[in-house]
Amino acid sequence: MSTNENELILLAHGDGGLLTHQLLEKYFLPGFSNELLDELSDASVFSMQEGRLAVSTDSFVVDPIFFPGGNIGKLAVCGTVNDIAVSGARPLYLTASFILEEGLPLGELARIVASMSDTAVKAGVKIIAGDTKVVGRGQADKIFITTTGIGLLPPQVNLGYRRLKPGDKVLVNGSLGNHGLAILLQRETLGLDSKVESDCAPLNLIIEKLLKRFKSIKIMRDLTRGGLATNAKEIAQSARVDIWLDEQSLPVDDSVRGVTELLGLDPLYLANEGKFLIAAAADEAADLLDFMKKDSLGENSRLIGEVRAGSGNVYLKTALGGTRKINMLASAPLPRIC
Amino acid sequence: MSTNENELILLAHGDGGLLTHQLLEKYFLPGFSNELLDELSDASVFSMQEGRLAVSTDSFVVDPIFFPGGNIGKLAVCGTVNDIAVSGARPLYLTASFILEEGLPLGELARIVASMSDTAVKAGVKIIAGDTKVVGRGQADKIFITTTGIGLLPPQVNLGYRRLKPGDKVLVNGSLGNHGLAILLQRETLGLDSKVESDCAPLNLIIEKLLKRFKSIKIMRDLTRGGLATNAKEIAQSARVDIWLDEQSLPVDDSVRGVTELLGLDPLYLANEGKFLIAAAADEAADLLDFMKKDSLGENSRLIGEVRAGSGNVYLKTALGGTRKINMLASAPLPRIC
């Protein structure tokens, strides 16, 4: 993709005329090319076998658009791929719609598109439809991307809150809070020299392997906005059970722990973009944990808690031996983390 | 949906915590409720028969967000429904993702959601997944909506540029330029007292009827950004034919003609949101036109031209007997018309 770093997005890039076509042909098509997208028709048409489809959509407005460990494009692919994956489905197709601010350097757009393309290849999904709109300076903040994912749910997969039972074990595939903290440290001028990187990654391949091997997996959930705390609370409420988490088992990187303690933040509420919670029957939990640890996206997996009979509460057994009731995030330390 | 017109969108409405849940439960779920959306899972899961799916996505950034004949919500449903419909598919499901500016009155959001809900019911589609992000004041312009549509292409439908042949007739389902002009008159303080309304409408039901009855329909296309001119040019280029349009046959409302002449605008390049071009074999064209005119969304249908052998050009036979070569829109009279 040849680009001139000095070229900027103009309003006319979004009016459906000549410049819109040039933007497509020079930037989007080379990055995303596949037989469906290249048709450039009003709608992409593809054949599907009979079955259950999973569909999810998310808008991404992260600020800054480039951050340690990723950028808004990588995030827009990972976020939607992961939402499909935790439903148990195999993500196949993505759509991507761009809202660009007049004045965005085309070089930045090119880097974002390249990153989306790389991540889509890694996740094995195709970007099959898209749209571009341009708004004037000060009417958007650089770039917003909305992705929608379509996946196929294998016949044997049957996840659902209704399957959760007291005694089920709760696991997570690695350390908590890295994405949220990486963004926060970029945004705030705190004078902290930190090496925290976003954990942004597509989770579909590890999840597919787990689902093939472990029939007792009951639910999965990616731990994005609101972090582990808010997501565990939502699960507990939906499933009408209690979830007990063990603070000492929660994986938190030293670099994250140090900074969050300094800033008075709780890693339990910070967003992740490459982490998922998994609940499974107790008798398979140890094997599941071992298997997760063998995957590069699960090396720091931990068994972090269990399901008990209850009415939608989440409790944390603290390192000091006490018990803390966990509520949903009431107000985030900062907006626009995804 | 009970709302307090004085309440405003806060950043915390988008952080995935308590206020996000309240926004969902008070605004989005009552408007869009259906068995798939109400699950509130990471992905909506539904069964599909074996077949061809059509998928399309668009972001809507129209300014102003309320305009004569519609608002950004109605537009976001119609635009994507129509993209699916002109591919020949029956739209079934939509996703809707919202980017809200801090300070947007919740009463305005409620009106937009109600309008989306009404239009979705009218079009017979379900909104099955969504997302909401909030950005700070001055980081977006009130509200942007991205919709993605999924439709099922009936086995017997087979539209495609390759099917276009010299002699095929070109029709349109009504008057041109109303949407683009309605937006322009709202945006610019021209001191014109005009009654021009957007033609924003879901076209899937009339298109479904036409496709059932007329096997010789070869392609359809909705005439949005760039208007009839740009879209005809794209069709001619893709199909490697020429398209000849007859200026005297083009339906343009008197109110639109008057204002566009005054302002030096060409209705051929103005966006429509309830108009589609249709090309069909010559021997069925008269019956097709009669049938279209019986539908409320086709009362002003016209046969406007024909396909000839050629290499991707569009020509307009002018009212004065001349010939004008039509190019794509090079720069729009104004941005953010959809």
Side-chain angles (χ1 to χ4, degrees):
Chain A
M1 203 180 308
S2 82
T3 61
N4 179 344
E5 285 278 338
N6 298 319
E7 282 182 71
L8 303 180
I9 283 286
L10 309 172
L11 282 172
H13 278 115
D15 67 13
L18 268 178
L19 281 179
T20 306
H21 281 79
Q22 289 174 8
L23 192 65
L24 263 175
E25 278 157 27
K26 195 167 163 193
Y27 289 86
F28 292 114
L29 291 183
F32 299 151
S33 180
N34 61 63
E35 70 285 3
L36 292 171
L37 185 69
D38 296 349
E39 286 279 319
L40 287 186
S41 45
D42 283 309
S44 275
V45 174
F46 52 88
S47 294
M48 288 289 271
Q49 63 204 77
E50 184 176 344
R52 292 173 301 164
L53 296 185
V55 171
S56 184
T57 193
D58 263 318
S59 288
F60 295 85
V61 300
V62 66
D63 172 31
I65 59 174
F66 294 96
F67 48 81
N71 61 53
I72 191 171
K74 182 181 179 187
L75 194 63
V77 172
C78 293
T80 294
V81 159
N82 293 349
D83 277 341
I84 298 289
V86 293
S87 79
R90 197 154 63 90
L92 300 174
Y93 300 117
L94 287 186
T95 67
S97 197
F98 296 81
I99 297 172
L100 308 178
E101 184 188 12
E102 182 188 15
L104 177 76
L106 278 162
E108 293 191 5
L109 180 62
R111 285 166 61 199
I112 290 165
V113 166
S115 179
M116 292 179 77
S117 172
D118 288 349
T119 311
V121 167
K122 191 181 284 187
V125 298
K126 287 180 180 169
I127 295 171
I128 59 165
D131 182 46
T132 308
K133 295 283 155 58
V134 180
V135 301
R137 283 175 198 269
Q139 296 174 340
D141 192 5
K142 300 180 192 75
I143 177 171
F144 301 145
I145 304 176
T146 302
T147 48
T148 304
I150 300 172
L152 190 63
L153 202 60
Q156 73 280 7
V157 171
N158 180 26
L159 304 178
Y161 297 124
R162 293 167 196 83
R163 288 186 59 203
L164 280 187
K165 294 279 175 293
D168 289 343
K169 297 297 180 189
V170 177
L171 300 90
V172 68
N173 70 312
S175 53
L176 299 168
N178 299 57
H179 175 78
L181 189 60
I183 299 297
L184 191 139
L185 291 174
Q186 287 289 300
R187 286 269 292 284
E188 308 296 324
T189 48
L190 300 165
L192 291 172
D193 185 21
S194 160
K195 296 204 165 50
V196 179
E197 284 200 357
S198 168
D199 58 331
C200 183
L203 295 168
N204 56 317
L205 301 183
I206 176 174
I207 285 176
E208 194 176 339
K209 281 194 289 180
L210 295 178
L211 285 173
K212 265 195 192 134
R213 190 171 178 117
F214 297 97
K215 304 304 169 201
S216 79
I217 294 175
K218 302 190 169 180
I219 61 140
M220 291 183 294
R221 180 126 182 172
D222 57 336
L223 302 175
T224 54
R225 278 191 292 189
L228 171 64
T230 304
N231 283 283
K233 178 74 179 168
E234 286 175 5
I235 294 167
Q237 286 183 338
S238 297
R240 287 173 199 162
V241 296
D242 284 353
I243 294 177
W244 284 73
L245 300 173
D246 179 10
E247 189 173 33
Q248 284 191 292
S249 308
L250 297 178
V252 179
D253 289 346
D254 288 342
S255 56
V256 170
R257 191 179 299 281
V259 180
T260 50
E261 282 179 0
L262 202 65
L263 298 176
L265 295 170
D266 188 343
L268 250 69
Y269 287 91
L270 289 176
N272 311 276
E273 291 293 344
K275 296 293 150 36
F276 62 104
L277 177 154
I278 188 165
D283 57 0
E284 272 198 337
D287 287 348
L288 176 58
L289 180 63
D290 284 344
F291 193 83
M292 286 170 72
K293 285 185 168 176
K294 285 178 195 141
D295 193 288
S296 62
L297 290 173
E299 286 168 0
N300 291 316
S301 294
R302 294 280 191 288
L303 198 163
I304 59 168
E306 65 175 11
V307 175
R308 297 191 188 170
S311 54
N313 291 314
V314 176
Y315 297 98
L316 184 72
K317 289 188 282 184
T318 68
L320 298 171
T323 301
R324 178 154 76 96
K325 197 168 170 180
I326 297 289
N327 290 309
M328 283 189 197
L329 181 70
S331 72
L334 84 170
R336 297 182 59 189
I337 44 84
C338 58
Chain B
M1 204 180 310
S2 82
T3 62
N4 179 346
E5 285 277 338
N6 298 322
E7 280 183 73
L8 303 180
I9 282 286
L10 309 174
L11 281 172
H13 279 114
D15 67 12
L18 267 178
L19 280 178
T20 306
H21 281 81
Q22 289 174 8
L23 192 65
L24 263 173
E25 277 157 29
K26 193 164 164 194
Y27 289 86
F28 292 114
L29 291 183
F32 298 151
S33 179
N34 61 63
E35 70 286 4
L36 292 172
L37 185 69
D38 295 350
E39 285 279 320
L40 287 187
S41 45
D42 283 308
S44 274
V45 173
F46 53 88
S47 294
M48 288 290 272
Q49 63 203 81
E50 185 176 341
R52 292 173 300 164
L53 296 186
V55 171
S56 185
T57 193
D58 263 319
S59 287
F60 295 86
V61 299
V62 66
D63 172 32
I65 59 175
F66 295 95
F67 48 82
N71 61 52
I72 192 171
K74 182 181 180 188
L75 194 62
V77 172
C78 293
T80 293
V81 159
N82 293 349
D83 277 341
I84 298 287
V86 295
S87 79
R90 196 154 65 89
L92 301 174
Y93 299 115
L94 287 187
T95 67
S97 196
F98 296 81
I99 297 172
L100 308 177
E101 185 189 12
E102 183 188 15
L104 177 77
L106 278 163
E108 293 191 5
L109 180 63
R111 285 166 62 199
I112 289 165
V113 166
S115 179
M116 292 180 77
S117 172
D118 287 350
T119 311
V121 167
K122 192 182 282 185
V125 298
K126 285 180 180 167
I127 295 171
I128 59 165
D131 181 46
T132 307
K133 295 281 155 61
V134 179
V135 300
R137 283 176 198 269
Q139 296 175 338
D141 193 6
K142 298 179 191 76
I143 176 171
F144 302 144
I145 305 176
T146 301
T147 49
T148 303
I150 300 172
L152 191 63
L153 202 61
Q156 73 280 7
V157 171
N158 181 25
L159 305 177
Y161 297 126
R162 293 165 195 85
R163 289 185 59 202
L164 280 187
K165 294 278 175 292
D168 289 344
K169 297 299 183 191
V170 177
L171 300 90
V172 68
N173 69 313
S175 52
L176 300 169
N178 299 55
H179 176 77
L181 191 60
I183 299 296
L184 191 138
L185 291 173
Q186 287 289 301
R187 286 269 293 281
E188 308 296 324
T189 48
L190 299 164
L192 290 170
D193 186 20
S194 159
K195 298 207 164 48
V196 178
E197 283 199 0
S198 167
D199 58 333
C200 183
L203 295 168
N204 56 318
L205 301 183
I206 176 174
I207 285 176
E208 193 176 340
K209 280 194 289 179
L210 295 178
L211 285 174
K212 265 194 193 138
R213 193 173 176 113
F214 297 96
K215 304 303 170 202
S216 80
I217 294 174
K218 302 189 169 182
I219 61 140
M220 292 183 294
R221 180 127 180 169
D222 57 336
L223 302 174
T224 55
R225 279 192 289 190
L228 172 63
T230 304
N231 283 282
K233 179 73 179 167
E234 286 175 3
I235 294 168
Q237 286 184 338
S238 297
R240 287 174 198 161
V241 297
D242 284 354
I243 293 176
W244 284 72
L245 300 173
D246 180 9
E247 189 173 32
Q248 283 191 293
S249 307
L250 298 178
V252 179
D253 289 346
D254 288 342
S255 56
V256 170
R257 192 180 298 283
V259 179
T260 51
E261 282 179 0
L262 202 65
L263 299 177
L265 295 170
D266 188 343
L268 251 69
Y269 286 91
L270 288 177
N272 312 276
E273 292 293 344
K275 296 295 150 34
F276 62 103
L277 177 155
I278 188 165
D283 57 1
E284 271 197 338
D287 286 349
L288 177 59
L289 181 63
D290 285 345
F291 194 84
M292 285 169 72
K293 284 184 168 175
K294 285 178 194 140
D295 192 287
S296 62
L297 289 174
E299 285 169 1
N300 291 315
S301 294
R302 294 280 190 287
L303 197 163
I304 59 168
E306 64 175 13
V307 175
R308 297 190 189 173
S311 55
N313 291 312
V314 177
Y315 297 99
L316 184 73
K317 289 189 283 187
T318 68
L320 298 170
T323 301
R324 178 154 75 96
K325 197 170 169 179
I326 297 288
N327 290 310
M328 282 187 196
L329 181 70
S331 72
L334 84 167
R336 299 184 57 189
I337 43 83
C338 58

